[in-house]
Amino acid sequence: MSKDRGRGWLRGGQAALLFSLVLWSVNAQALVSRSFTLENGLQTVLVREPKAPVVVTQVWYRVGAADEEAGKTGLAHMLEHMMFQGTEKIAPAQFSKIIARNGGEDNASTAQDYTNYWIKLSSDRLDLALSLEADRMRHLRLQEAEFDSENLVVREERRSRTDSNPTARFLEKFRQAAYGDHPYGRPVIGWMEDVKNHTIDDLRQWYRRHYSPDQAILVVVGDIDFDGAEQKVRKLFSPLENSASWQRPPLPKRVQPDQTVRLDLHDENSQLSHFFAGFSTPSFTMGDVKEAFALELLSTVLGSSASSRIYRQLVVKEGLAVSARSGYGGLSRGEELFSLSATPRPGVSLEQLEEALFVEVEKLVAEPIGERELQRAKNGLIAGHLFAQDSVDRIAWLIGRVSVNEGDWRLLVEEYPDRVQAVTAEEIQQVAQRYLKKSRATIGTLQP
Amino acid sequence: MSVRFRLLLFFCLFSMATLLQPIEGRGAWSPDVSHFYGPGGMMVYHVESHANPLIMVEILVPGGASHDPDGKEGVASLVAWMFNEGGGEMGSEAFREKLDYYGISLSASAGRDALTVSFSTLSAHLDVGWKMLMDALLKPRFDPTDLERAVADQVASLKKAQENPDSVASKALVRAIYGDHPYGRPSQGTPETLAAIGRNDLMRFHEMAFRLPNLVLAVAGDITLEKLKLLVDDSFSAMNNIPSPLRPTPLAFSKNRPDRQHVELDVPQTAIRLGAVGIHRHDPDYYAMVVMNQILGGGGFTSRLTEEIREKRGLTYGVFSYFSPLSGQGPFVVGMKTKTASVEESLVLLRRELTRIAQEEVDEKELEDVKLYLTGSFPLSLDGLSKLAGIWGVIGFYQRGLDYLEKWPGRIRQVTAGDIRRVAKRILDLDRFHTVTVGRTVEDKGAEPGNADSKP
């Protein structure tokens, strides 16, 4: 999960007080934005960022791999590829060529929760980007010939990403073990058998059901003028009609096994041994926002940099590992895995490594972290948050990523620094106690 | 967990040089730059922007992997790895803690020609950060226990790379093309050469690389020219002002004979690389090469190779070509991955496209479209502080001149179909190309349980 953060600024005296150890003299400043929803339900967020004459458009559909049925995995991603293969107006494979001729770039991505499409170009070409997106929202052609060859491309993609990579193969099984029957346990790209069995009718049905203005969020960030941009959006997207309305069902809850789930595999193609642990945790959009902020800080303290606990202890001091890190994304619609991973030094067993990692976890469970360490973690997250706004793409991405789960993007964009500052050492200890239990973990090892 | 669509993986061993390729321009928009010389003749580029409270810095010196001493390959990459492992009075642990405390990022990487230091900070912490940057530059420590950890990390990453067909193929290709030439060396070293490297090797290399007359400093962001001049004058005058003995890599060298190699790796997809010696940074055909490469297999989804191999036939997820214009003649490389059974068909198609662009003149429409892309996407390469610091650092390092960005679009527009054919004939001569494949010799799905097609 990405650590992307858009723009956010410290505001007022409260932040300055909390920041007593290092005073960050950042001026109060919010994102310059305008939000509106069309009658057909299309949700739109415009952000003005005039530092360069470029604009990025992102269309986020509220559908992803988690909405697939067993046996039909990979459909969301397959459709994503087909979105470049022609509409009633645009010939197959012409989409990206038209954008390139206009000095632009484009791409897309699919995940468990969403399917996302972006175009980036010179800001005087915003019309073009919007009209291409409006067109393919409702008028995709989906022909057999293009599907047949694009399906081969996706098989190659699966071979490339997963089947030729021992760690990726392992992690696919690891997620399956961690999530059981929950949709997050299935690979986004789909199982190869399922991908081979996709049909053009599957895709037509998927497209009809899910590609509709009321299922989408449009984010536009760049050197734009709000009135002009809003007018264009209204003109191009208002005429689009909704498909028979599909209500996204709530994600099933992951069933928490009552003991540690283990997955120990040997793969002769793996050159190194690796240790992984995943703890099921709530995300920002699941309700308790405070817990999510505490988890983000917990991960930073535990293993997100060279001054984090497991790097210092296992890699530097004890020399047990060549690398050790933790991760928490927090942006999913459902529960996600707070991860721990490490690679042992030659001669160190995975058992030794596991033990040493859990010693560090136990320390966080037993004692609240110190003031300097807490402030260091906060400063790091806030600095990362500020650096991310160097890029219009990342601002747009974060707004869309949060909105697609019906979350409030202002919380993670504008309010982020204040929220991070407000987390206490006790709250971090509490989430460590609640979630980092070995009995709740999925533990995996991969060995040659 | 997100699956990125159509992300071409450019396993570019010469990554820094490619920075200059996608710069281009419609109205040649680019933020104003100031240029001045600091102590000892160091070159400084400055782009001022107060839109965000951030400052990004890049420092380039001739200290890339091609300067590694014989038998000690990997020195440059270790110097880079250890760049944030302490400086002055502060050992690694205290140094890293302080960087994190202030939210400062400091790292370095070794390309073929240059060692590049990247530093970024909130402007509020510039003074703290700058002092740490200067300690790392002027008083590196290379403490032995940290060196040992760096070597262990590097050895593990070399081992890990053996799993990856793209890495194996790229390394084999570079060796095949360059042989004993400095560009042919393993830039991360080998377990044996890394074991032979001691603290003194790092100190010596660092001292030779960081010399004022050869140093380029590029700064973008929330800092005024006056403030930058003060910082530069105060801090850099302590650095050695005798020119670096590390000379740019020689242009000419004797070529290996073209060959075809296969490396056996148990994967369901074979990595293919074709490559030959390309051009150096100051080659008069540079601009023709940019356009030619874009038509053949450049980024995006519009190239001939993508059209023929991916779009029409579904043989691959990504196919690409690139060239690396270095101080010396960098490589020209074509690559893709495909299932074992399609390797020979793909090789025929790759060779056919290499031949076609050298023999048939490109038509005007195709040429015009590519020029529109290259010139029109110009602002996209300059829309952030880190991009600006990066690009000006490379322009300074290769001495491309202050008007380089401004003139780029015009120079692209001047390229003719005849220029493209000429440069393609010269560089894409198949008799000069080496071929590497990494994968299984024959497809045999049943043989390896773990690697056959996945099942739920």
Side-chain angles (χ1 to χ4, degrees):
Chain A
M1 190 54 70
S2 162
K3 300 288 279 184
D4 284 1
R5 297 283 174 243
R7 171 190 285 195
W9 306 95
L10 291 178
R11 252 173 279 120
Q14 185 203 3
L17 273 178
L18 286 163
F19 239 83
S20 53
L21 291 175
V22 177
L23 194 64
W24 303 59
S25 58
V26 178
N27 293 329
Q29 198 175 340
L31 223 51
V32 183
S33 67
R34 177 185 287 187
S35 304
F36 55 94
T37 303
L38 302 188
E39 273 177 33
N40 58 19
L42 179 75
Q43 211 179 311
T44 307
V45 182
L46 309 175
V47 176
R48 186 167 153 69
E49 260 295 346
K51 67 188 174 202
V54 303
V55 65
V56 60
T57 64
Q58 296 189 356
V59 180
W60 293 74
Y61 291 94
R62 291 182 183 92
V63 66
D67 300 294
E68 294 160 357
E69 297 163 31
K72 299 274 184 194
T73 61
L75 264 185
H77 173 252
M78 188 67 234
L79 196 270
E80 178 220 297
H81 276 239
M82 294 305 293
M83 285 284 276
F84 297 82
Q85 295 302 330
T87 66
E88 289 157 21
K89 283 187 203 150
I90 309 288
Q94 285 303 304
F95 190 95
S96 298
K97 287 184 181 152
I98 293 170
I99 291 169
R101 256 200 309 278
N102 284 276
E105 289 167 4
D106 63 289
N107 215 325
S109 65
T110 306
Q112 300 287 3
D113 298 340
Y114 62 83
T115 317
N116 154 284
Y117 302 84
W118 63 262
I119 299 171
K120 187 173 184 187
L121 32 55
S122 169
S123 44
D124 60 0
R125 307 288 160 108
L126 175 61
D127 276 44
L128 174 73
L130 293 175
S131 61
L132 285 168
E133 290 296 5
D135 179 43
R136 68 175 170 177
M137 186 175 282
R138 294 299 291 156
H139 306 297
L140 207 58
R141 267 178 84 242
L142 288 170
Q143 297 298 297
E144 194 97 46
E146 284 77 41
F147 166 69
D148 288 345
S149 107
E150 203 59 33
N151 186 262
L152 295 176
V153 170
V154 172
R155 295 181 206 177
E156 291 295 349
E157 180 178 356
R158 183 177 161 97
R159 289 185 191 105
S160 184
R161 286 182 185 285
T162 311
D163 300 335
S164 298
N165 179 335
T167 310
R169 284 202 296 265
F170 174 82
L171 287 174
E172 189 173 82
K173 296 195 177 81
F174 183 83
R175 285 184 70 82
Q176 214 181 356
Y179 280 102
D181 289 338
H182 189 277
Y184 282 6
R186 304 175 203 142
V188 171
I189 197 164
W191 300 109
M192 187 65 106
E193 279 195 348
D194 291 352
V195 172
K196 285 181 177 171
N197 288 330
H198 290 164
T199 66
I200 192 75
D201 285 336
D202 292 334
L203 291 168
R204 285 180 182 144
Q205 199 188 345
W206 187 266
Y207 179 69
R208 263 200 310 272
R209 186 181 291 167
H210 300 298
Y211 282 67
S212 174
D214 61 345
Q215 295 301 326
I217 297 145
L218 168 67
V219 185
V220 182
V221 182
D223 186 14
I224 53 170
D225 123 68
F226 283 158
D227 290 342
E230 178 171 346
Q231 217 172 15
K232 285 171 197 160
V233 170
R234 289 188 182 279
K235 186 175 142 232
L236 290 161
F237 288 88
S238 289
L240 301 180
E241 285 174 17
N242 286 317
S243 53
S245 82
W246 175 76
Q247 283 301 317
R248 193 173 205 185
L251 263 179
K253 252 192 96 59
R254 173 184 173 272
V255 179
Q256 177 64 54
D258 29 6
Q259 56 181 347
T260 312
V261 176
R262 287 209 74 106
L263 180 72
D264 298 298
L265 291 184
H266 287 266
D267 183 333
E268 59 185 21
N269 293 322
S270 183
Q271 295 285 334
L272 299 173
S273 295
H274 299 292
F275 173 89
F276 299 93
F279 304 87
S280 183
T281 48
S283 67
F284 283 100
T285 43
M286 282 175 63
D288 193 341
V289 173
K290 275 184 133 179
E291 274 205 336
F293 278 105
L295 283 162
E296 184 149 20
L297 279 158
L298 176 64
S299 169
T300 307
V301 169
L302 185 60
S304 76
S305 75
S307 63
S308 66
R309 294 220 178 163
I310 56 177
Y311 189 87
R312 269 191 182 179
Q313 193 61 33
L314 274 68
V315 180
V316 181
K317 291 208 175 105
E318 297 182 44
L320 294 172
V322 277
S323 68
R325 59 179 61 99
S326 61
Y328 170 74
L331 295 170
S332 300
R333 197 168 150 241
E335 290 159 287
E336 56 181 74
L337 297 179
F338 183 107
S339 68
L340 269 183
S341 60
T343 302
R345 284 261 199 152
V348 175
S349 73
L350 286 162
E351 289 75 24
Q352 270 174 286
L353 191 65
E354 180 174 337
E355 206 185 307
L357 279 165
F358 276 94
V359 167
E360 291 308 310
V361 169
E362 284 309 317
K363 282 184 200 159
L364 285 168
V365 169
E367 289 166 40
I369 58 175
E371 196 181 8
R372 168 102 184 172
E373 191 177 20
L374 175 60
Q375 197 58 51
R376 182 171 76 233
K378 290 179 177 179
N379 293 353
L381 286 179
I382 293 169
H385 182 73
L386 296 172
F387 280 120
Q389 54 73 64
D390 190 36
S391 149
V392 288
D393 314 75
R394 290 177 80 182
I395 295 172
W397 189 89
L398 188 60
I399 292 173
R401 182 70 186 90
V402 175
S403 304
V404 85
N405 292 340
E406 319 305 331
D408 176 7
W409 59 267
R410 288 172 196 281
L411 176 76
L412 283 172
V413 181
E414 295 180 344
E415 294 173 25
Y416 185 85
D418 286 351
R419 293 287 192 148
V420 167
Q421 284 299 352
V423 177
T424 65
E426 290 68 34
E427 286 168 340
I428 294 172
Q429 188 183 6
Q430 278 162 18
V431 289
Q433 288 165 349
R434 195 166 301 147
Y435 298 109
L436 300 195
K437 285 183 190 148
K438 201 167 191 174
S439 61
R440 291 175 46 92
T442 303
I443 290 180
T445 61
L446 172 63
Q447 297 179 71
Chain B
M1 206 186 101
S2 119
V3 170
R4 273 256 206 58
F5 165 61
R6 308 195 298 184
L7 176 75
L8 296 180
L9 299 173
F10 295 93
F11 280 93
C12 184
L13 289 167
F14 300 79
S15 57
M16 193 196 62
T18 59
L19 251 180
L20 279 184
Q21 291 177 31
I23 326 177
E24 16 278 324
R26 175 173 330 195
W29 175 85
S30 85
D32 290 341
V33 65
S34 318
H35 172 53
F36 64 93
Y37 291 94
M42 67 181 277
M43 284 204 280
V44 187
Y45 297 85
H46 172 241
V47 180
E48 188 168 337
S49 162
H50 303 286
N52 297 308
L54 311 171
I55 299 168
M56 312 272 186
V57 174
E58 299 263 311
I59 295 170
L60 284 86
V61 292
S66 58
H67 301 291
D68 282 343
D70 280 334
K72 304 224 163 159
E73 286 80 6
V75 166
S77 74
L78 283 175
V79 167
W81 197 101
M82 296 191 71
F83 206 82
N84 52 20
E85 293 286 333
E89 301 301 305
M90 248 189 265
S92 165
E93 190 169 331
F95 196 81
R96 299 294 294 257
E97 198 277 341
K98 194 169 178 184
L99 287 175
D100 282 352
Y101 188 76
Y102 286 93
I104 295 164
S105 143
L106 174 62
S107 64
S109 66
R112 291 280 160 180
D113 289 340
L115 186 81
T116 303
V117 177
S118 304
F119 165 85
S120 48
T121 181
L122 300 182
S123 34
H125 303 321
L126 175 62
D127 290 335
V128 177
W130 192 269
K131 163 114 186 27
M132 296 181 77
L133 170 66
M134 294 315 298
D135 280 350
L137 278 171
L138 295 169
K139 299 173 218 160
R141 294 173 64 99
F142 302 123
D143 289 337
T145 52
D146 300 328
L147 172 58
E148 197 269 338
R149 178 164 45 91
V151 169
D153 184 82
Q154 196 97 303
V155 169
S157 96
L158 287 171
K159 216 158 178 211
K160 190 80 189 153
Q162 292 170 16
E163 293 172 2
N164 181 330
D166 285 305
S167 313
V168 174
S170 295
K171 274 188 191 171
L173 181 71
V174 160
R175 228 169 13 247
I177 297 175
Y178 288 99
D180 291 335
H181 183 272
Y183 288 161
R185 296 195 190 144
S187 53
Q188 280 187 290
T190 66
E192 296 71 39
T193 63
L194 291 168
I197 295 169
R199 179 171 185 271
N200 288 341
D201 297 309
L202 302 189
M203 291 301 271
R204 198 174 310 128
F205 191 87
H206 185 280
E207 201 280 323
M208 285 193 294
F210 289 93
R211 301 288 183 92
L212 289 171
N214 308 90
L215 184 139
V216 178
L217 170 69
V219 179
D222 186 19
I223 178 173
T224 62
L225 184 60
E226 293 65 38
K227 168 82 180 171
L228 178 61
K229 280 184 168 166
L230 276 176
L231 279 176
V232 166
D233 284 340
D234 277 358
S235 49
F236 274 94
S237 24
M239 190 180 276
N240 195 331
N241 63 4
I242 299 165
S244 172
L246 302 175
R247 309 310 308 162
T249 299
L251 298 180
F253 56 90
S254 59
K255 285 166 237 156
N256 278 7
R257 296 174 68 86
D259 57 1
R260 177 171 176 178
Q261 296 180 37
H262 177 76
V263 182
E264 195 67 20
L265 193 70
D266 186 14
V267 284
Q269 198 180 41
T270 296
I272 300 173
R273 292 289 184 282
L274 299 176
V277 170
I279 64 169
H280 61 77
R281 179 63 68 178
H282 295 274
D283 192 295
D285 274 332
Y286 173 77
Y287 297 93
M289 193 74 166
V290 169
V291 179
M292 188 276 283
N293 179 62
Q294 188 62 32
I295 293 172
L296 180 69
F301 304 103
T302 57
S303 71
R304 287 182 175 188
L305 291 175
T306 295
E307 178 78 22
E308 291 298 315
I309 296 177
R310 174 176 160 141
E311 297 293 332
K312 282 194 190 159
R313 296 178 179 82
L315 288 172
T316 190
Y317 177 56
V319 53
F320 60 86
S321 66
Y322 70 82
F323 69 106
S324 296
L326 303 172
S327 298
Q329 289 156 296
F332 184 94
V333 177
V334 173
M336 63 178 280
K337 285 189 286 187
T338 192
K339 60 185 178 294
T340 318
S342 306
V343 171
E344 294 309 316
E345 181 187 1
S346 301
L347 279 169
V348 168
L349 292 166
L350 290 170
R351 293 195 176 113
R352 195 172 83 193
E353 289 307 316
L354 288 167
T355 308
R356 178 157 78 102
I357 200 164
Q359 286 180 354
E360 295 169 23
E361 205 145 274
V362 298
D363 74 52
E364 280 306 316
K365 167 88 170 75
E366 189 178 20
L367 179 58
E368 188 52 30
D369 281 355
V370 162
K371 287 183 183 176
L372 284 171
Y373 168 71
L374 288 172
T375 55
S377 60
F378 183 78
L380 272 52
S381 312
L382 303 169
D383 72 336
L385 299 176
S386 61
K387 291 181 190 177
L388 288 165
I391 234 150
W392 280 108
V394 175
I395 290 172
F397 185 81
Y398 287 109
Q399 305 184 5
R400 301 309 307 255
L402 269 185
D403 59 357
Y404 179 74
L405 290 181
E406 198 185 310
K407 294 212 167 135
W408 210 91
R411 287 173 172 155
I412 290 294
R413 281 189 208 105
Q414 280 166 11
V415 172
T416 65
D419 294 334
I420 288 171
R421 198 161 132 198
R422 185 187 65 249
V423 75
K425 268 199 161 135
R426 190 183 129 205
I427 303 299
L428 307 188
D429 171 5
L430 283 182
D431 293 338
R432 303 166 63 239
F433 268 65
H434 297 263
T435 304
V436 174
T437 50
V438 178
R440 292 179 192 151
T441 314
V442 229
E443 187 162 40
D444 184 5
K445 269 194 197 166
E448 311 71 355
N451 305 347
D453 289 348
S454 63
K455 294 184 181 61

